[in-house]
Amino acid sequence: RTYDSGFFVVRQLLLANFALDCFNNGPHVDLDQLRKKLFNQFMVGVNYFADDHQYASFGHLTNYGARYYGYMWSKVFA
């Protein structure tokens, strides 16, 4: 039941920080550089693939903004 829950939480933290940093760093942020920095910070022991451009399919960046950061807080309070 709880298999892989740690990975889920770490990935959510990565995505939350990515969303927050996208909006904190302004319109000229280098998404590839930001993702690589955060990926290496949070996903220790997982190989980084520069060509996947995961952020292009991260729909929460559109019309959701930096509010994605609050997703994990809602889990804490629930």
Side-chain angles (χ1 to χ4, degrees):
R1 182 175 140 226
T2 60
Y3 173 78
D4 207 23
S5 61
F7 182 80
F8 171 80
V9 170
V10 170
R11 183 173 179 275
Q12 291 302 319
L13 291 172
L14 167 66
L15 293 173
N17 279 278
F18 183 79
L20 190 62
D21 285 354
C22 280
F23 291 92
N24 281 341
N25 292 325
H28 303 291
V29 64
D30 183 339
L31 298 177
D32 290 316
Q33 183 181 13
L34 175 61
R35 182 162 187 275
K36 182 176 183 178
K37 180 189 93 161
L38 292 172
F39 189 94
N40 289 331
Q41 178 182 348
F42 286 98
M43 306 301 280
V44 176
V46 178
N47 290 333
Y48 174 76
F49 295 102
D51 293 333
D52 73 357
H53 305 289
Q54 176 273 337
Y55 53 81
S57 66
F58 187 32
H60 288 89
L61 290 178
T62 306
N63 296 327
Y64 205 79
R67 291 177 295 190
Y68 190 81
Y69 188 79
Y71 176 74
M72 285 304 292
W73 279 113
S74 70
K75 298 286 188 187
V76 170
F77 293 122

